[in-house]
């Protein structure tokens, strides 16, 4: 393939020069063999904006295909960002797991994979695994900072937040928390995960890169209030890390980000049966243990009373169900509680 640079040990071809100053719109070309095109590829749009010698940040969205505040924000940022207004390098992938994003689904129609369960990937694996391997082994080593923009997708609606892990290394923890404070979502969720698993956030943390994940809304639509938080947030992070001039601007309505956590499984409610979930409270409400959290209805039997579900913990209603229809074992409530920051 003339005009492209191959990358050893990964079949992904980067049709972009990460070292070239200015702004480039390029592609990551990932092989995808088909019956009618054995050498077929899928190209994933990538944008690099570079000026001078400052740090590098990687912004990604569309890790899950049906999460949109991040995708819209990064599409807007790709067009708006002028190399002259930065000192450093900004790498932007607005729709990272491209087949899932094109399909408007969390997972890929190609291999059925959840991209955020595919790290550190495998250069000889499925589409998602090959791409995860490229992001982990080729893109992350270029980065000083990383941020992955998520929302709740079809399944969940989430109170707008950034998210990070409770890290053992206090200096890394401080740097990540400072980045979250700069982003300034209404809430910062610190998750205690001993084995954070095969996520992009964990891959970045393993490489000692200050990194954030986020949940910037949900229900597979664009929440305009959360979009405003996200657009402001990515610029705040660019200022915080010194790539853009200026100081992070606090949100006029929310003020300082509220640092919270999900301490245990009492904060979750999983439904005991399939049905229709009717919530009792709005997302973001302060709720009390022992009070009704919602009702599970059964369309097959109008004479059957709904099952009442009860909060087992008090706190902020951080996640609710996105779609009313639920299957046995689906979570419909997650409560967050204040954390000493
Ligand atoms: Zn997601």
């Amino acid at each position: 393939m003339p005009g492209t640079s191959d990358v050893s040990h990964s079949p992904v071809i980067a049709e972009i020069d990460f070292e070239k100053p200015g702004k480039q719109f390029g592609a990551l070309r990932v092989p995808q063999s088909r019956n009618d095109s054995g050498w077929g590829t899928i190209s994933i749009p990538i944008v690099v904006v570079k000026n001078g010698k400052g740090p590098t940040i990687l912004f990604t969205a569309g890790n899950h295909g049906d999460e949109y505040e991040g995708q819209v924000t990064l599409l807007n940022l790709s067009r708006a960002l002028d190399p002259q207004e930065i000192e450093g390098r900004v790498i932007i992938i607005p729709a990272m797991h491209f087949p899932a994003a094109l399909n408007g689904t969390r997972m890929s129609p190609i291999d059925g994979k959840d991209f955020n369960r595919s790290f550190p990937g495998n250069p000889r694996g499925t589409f998602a695994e090959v791409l995860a391997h490229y992001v982990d082994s080729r893109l992350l080593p270029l980065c000083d900072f990383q941020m992955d923009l998520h929302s709740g997708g079809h399944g969940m609606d989430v109170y707008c937040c950034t998210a990070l892990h409770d890290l053992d290394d206090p200096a890394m923890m401080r740097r990540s928390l400072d980045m979250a404070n700069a982003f300034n979502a209404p809430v910062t969720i610190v998750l205690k995960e001993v084995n954070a698993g095969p996520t992009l956030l964990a891959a970045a943390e393993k490489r000692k890169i200050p990194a954030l994940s986020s949940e910037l809304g949900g229900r597979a639509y664009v929440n305009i209030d959360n979009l405003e938080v996200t657009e402001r947030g990515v610029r705040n992070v660019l200022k915080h890390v010194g790539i853009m001039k200026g100081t992070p601007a606090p949100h006029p309505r929310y003020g300082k980000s509220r640092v919270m956590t999900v301490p245990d499984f009492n904060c979750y409610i999983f439904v005991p049966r399939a049905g229709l979930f009717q919530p009792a409270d709005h997302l973001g409400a302060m709720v009390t243990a022992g009070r009704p959290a919602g009702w599970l209805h059964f369309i097959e039997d109008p004479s059957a009373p709904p099952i009442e579900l009860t909060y087992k913990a008090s706190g902020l209603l951080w996640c609710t169900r996105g779609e009313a229809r639920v299957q046995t074992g689906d979570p419909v409530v997650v409560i967050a509680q204040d954390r000493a920051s």
Side-chain angles (χ1 to χ4, degrees):
M1 212 171 282
T4 62
S5 59
D6 199 0
V7 180
S8 61
H9 310 304
S10 171
V12 177
I13 298 163
E15 293 180 336
I16 198 153
D17 182 348
F18 291 102
E19 303 306 325
K20 190 176 161 189
K23 173 149 69 172
Q24 304 165 75
F25 291 88
L28 301 176
R29 192 169 287 287
V30 185
Q32 181 57 38
S33 179
R34 307 193 312 268
N35 282 332
D36 61 340
S37 181
W39 294 356
T41 63
I42 290 174
S43 79
I44 301 170
I46 182 170
V47 184
V48 175
V49 188
K50 186 175 189 298
N51 185 44
K53 292 203 177 310
T56 293
I57 189 165
L58 169 64
F59 283 120
T60 51
N63 180 329
H64 295 128
D66 61 348
E67 304 174 1
Y68 295 112
E69 285 80 1
Q71 293 186 43
V72 171
T73 293
L74 294 190
L75 288 168
N76 286 339
L77 185 70
S78 297
R79 294 190 311 279
L81 203 58
D82 180 346
Q84 294 309 313
E85 63 178 325
I86 68 162
E87 184 70 33
R89 179 168 53 180
V90 185
I91 304 173
I92 306 167
I93 311 179
M96 182 164 49
H97 199 195
F98 197 72
L102 211 52
N103 203 42
T105 50
R106 177 180 177 85
M107 300 185 336
S108 170
I110 290 180
D111 57 11
K113 293 275 182 185
D114 181 329
F115 189 60
N116 217 28
R117 306 289 180 273
S118 301
F119 285 83
N122 174 2
R124 295 184 180 178
T126 68
F127 183 93
E129 291 165 343
V130 168
L131 181 61
H133 172 264
Y134 182 86
V135 172
D136 180 56
S137 67
R138 299 298 187 268
L139 292 188
L140 287 184
L142 301 176
C143 296
D144 301 292
F145 303 93
Q146 200 274 324
M147 182 163 188
D148 195 19
L149 303 171
H150 287 257
S151 298
H154 284 93
M156 297 295 275
D157 198 7
V158 190
Y159 194 70
C160 188
C161 69
T162 52
L164 64 152
H165 291 129
D166 199 347
L167 303 171
D168 292 336
D169 179 343
M172 271 290 294
M173 180 74 198
R174 189 67 257 166
R175 293 183 74 195
S176 301
L177 207 47
D178 286 349
M179 203 169 141
N181 284 332
F183 185 95
N184 199 217
V187 164
T188 300
I189 296 282
V190 179
L191 293 169
K192 201 166 191 63
E193 289 186 73
V194 177
N195 177 3
T199 63
L200 174 53
L201 178 63
E205 288 167 350
K206 235 174 258 169
R207 290 180 180 276
K208 301 284 180 199
I209 299 166
L212 292 178
S213 188
S214 48
E215 298 291 350
L216 303 159
R219 288 169 43 205
Y221 84 121
V222 178
N223 178 308
I224 54 176
D225 290 335
N226 294 348
L227 183 64
E228 185 199 347
V229 169
T230 311
E231 300 253 11
R232 182 191 300 269
V234 296
R235 281 179 170 73
N236 278 348
V237 167
L238 286 172
K239 290 170 186 168
H240 171 72
V241 302
I243 291 177
M244 204 179 246
K245 283 201 173 67
T247 49
H251 195 282
R253 286 198 305 280
Y254 299 115
K256 195 174 182 303
S257 189
R258 183 173 179 177
V259 181
M260 306 190 85
T261 187
V262 179
D264 56 49
F265 278 104
N266 279 331
C267 292
Y268 291 78
I269 295 176
F270 299 96
V271 293
R273 281 175 58 186
L276 296 183
F277 178 67
Q278 173 199 348
D281 293 295
H282 291 288
L283 188 66
M286 294 307 292
V287 301
T288 308
R291 301 284 302 165
W295 297 269
L296 199 56
H297 294 271
F298 308 103
I299 57 170
E300 61 277 22
D301 185 2
S303 74
I307 294 176
E308 184 169 280
L309 302 164
T310 305
Y311 293 116
K312 291 170 286 175
S314 302
L316 177 93
L317 183 54
W318 174 48
C319 299
T320 58
R321 177 69 189 167
E323 294 182 350
R325 178 148 285 283
V326 290
Q327 302 301 321
T328 306
D330 285 346
V332 290
V333 161
V334 186
I335 303 293
Q337 298 176 339
D338 286 315
R339 174 188 187 272
S341 54

